[in-house]
Amino acid sequence: MSEQNDAMVIAGKRYLSRLLVGTGKYKDMQETRLAIEASGAEIVTVAVRRTNIGQNPDEPNLLDVITPDKYTILPNTAGCYTAEDAVRTCRLARELLDGHDLVKLEVLGDQKTLYPNIVETIKATETLVKDGFKVMVYTNDDPIVAKQLEEMGCVAVMPLGSLIGSGLGILNPHNIKLIMEAANVPILVDAGVGTASDAAIAMEMGCEGVLMNTAIAGARNPILMASAMRKAIEAGREAFLAGRMPRKRYASASSPLEGIIG
């Protein structure tokens, strides 16, 4: 299957890269730019409350490095702990980005775990969808909640692999598979990826994509890790499409047993 025929589609737009990346925690704008370029990502998420995208004219503007003509900018509501704050942040992003309506919603429960507050997430989702936003939503790995968010109108549902920034990988693959089985919108793993094998596992499971930040920005060599993640996403997707061999309890000879010489 060609890349063109295997595009990821979110809110009606096709993307060849299934890796979505963030912009936080890099040492400077130059490293940010180089890492994102190495990742091959087409969707780049930006924490509106922590990053200048035009609200502070006296500070460097991230959009001068990650330009909207090259990337789909995905404003996110990181740092929001109530539905009200999240909605306000999305509306600010829409103003700053000339009517841009694709957003990543996350409403957090506490500062220690950064686990999603589902009650506030659902409140914010309802308001944002009614307000015309295309919502990609960060949530826990509860299949019932994921389906509810889809039915409310989210264009993508993004269950966590593990806690944000933890690098623990995908701790509950069974639940994520249940979420995917019931979904009619893209399911992307969001949070917890630590290294390339974690990303490959998510893709081998059949996830549409993976969003990460710390796994790249927190690596000893972020640019090299970004390149590794790009390859892992591609390899995992190809393995999923190829269909892995069945697992067996006992050995099975690679060479045929018939016609053995001697």
Side-chain angles (χ1 to χ4, degrees), residues 145-225:
V145 169
K147 192 62 181 177
Q148 183 177 355
L149 290 165
E150 175 190 330
E151 292 172 347
M152 292 178 71
C154 292
V155 299
V157 177
M158 307 174 76
L160 53 80
S162 50
L163 298 182
I164 291 173
S166 69
L168 292 173
I170 299 174
L171 297 184
N172 199 343
H174 177 69
N175 273 25
I176 292 178
K177 287 179 181 178
L178 291 176
I179 291 170
M180 288 189 294
E181 286 174 6
N184 295 306
V185 297
I187 304 299
L188 298 88
V189 164
D190 178 13
V193 168
T195 191
S197 57
D198 297 331
I201 287 169
M203 298 309 298
E204 289 171 7
M205 288 168 52
C207 293
E208 286 290 321
V210 180
L211 189 151
M212 66 182 74
N213 184 187
T214 308
I216 296 175
R220 187 168 61 249
N221 184 333
I223 298 164
L224 187 59
M225 183 60 82

Side-chain angles (χ1 to χ4, degrees), residues 20-40:
L20 294 73
V21 296
T23 55
K25 302 183 179 179
Y26 291 100
K27 67 180 182 181
D28 54 34
M29 289 283 195
Q30 174 74 349
E31 185 176 76
T32 303
R33 180 182 65 81
L34 292 173
I36 291 174
E37 287 178 355
S39 76

Side-chain angles (χ1 to χ4, degrees), residues 10-63:
I10 295 178
K13 185 171 181 179
R14 296 166 61 85
Y15 299 94
L16 298 183
S17 173
R18 294 173 180 272
L19 175 58
L20 294 73
V21 296
T23 55
K25 302 183 179 179
Y26 291 100
K27 67 180 182 181
D28 54 34
M29 289 283 195
Q30 174 74 349
E31 185 176 76
T32 303
R33 180 182 65 81
L34 292 173
I36 291 174
E37 287 178 355
S39 76
E42 296 170 274
I43 301 177
V44 180
T45 187
V46 177
V48 178
R49 303 189 80 186
R50 298 171 179 165
T51 307
N52 181 34
I53 56 171
Q55 60 270 53
N56 297 315
D58 296 329
E59 296 181 7
N61 189 333
L62 181 66
L63 299 185

Side-chain angles (χ1 to χ4, degrees), residues 1-8 14-16 234:
M1 180 178 291
S2 70
E3 281 189 340
Q4 294 290 343
N5 293 331
D6 186 41
M8 176 178 67
R14 296 166 61 85
Y15 299 94
L16 298 183
E234 292 170 354

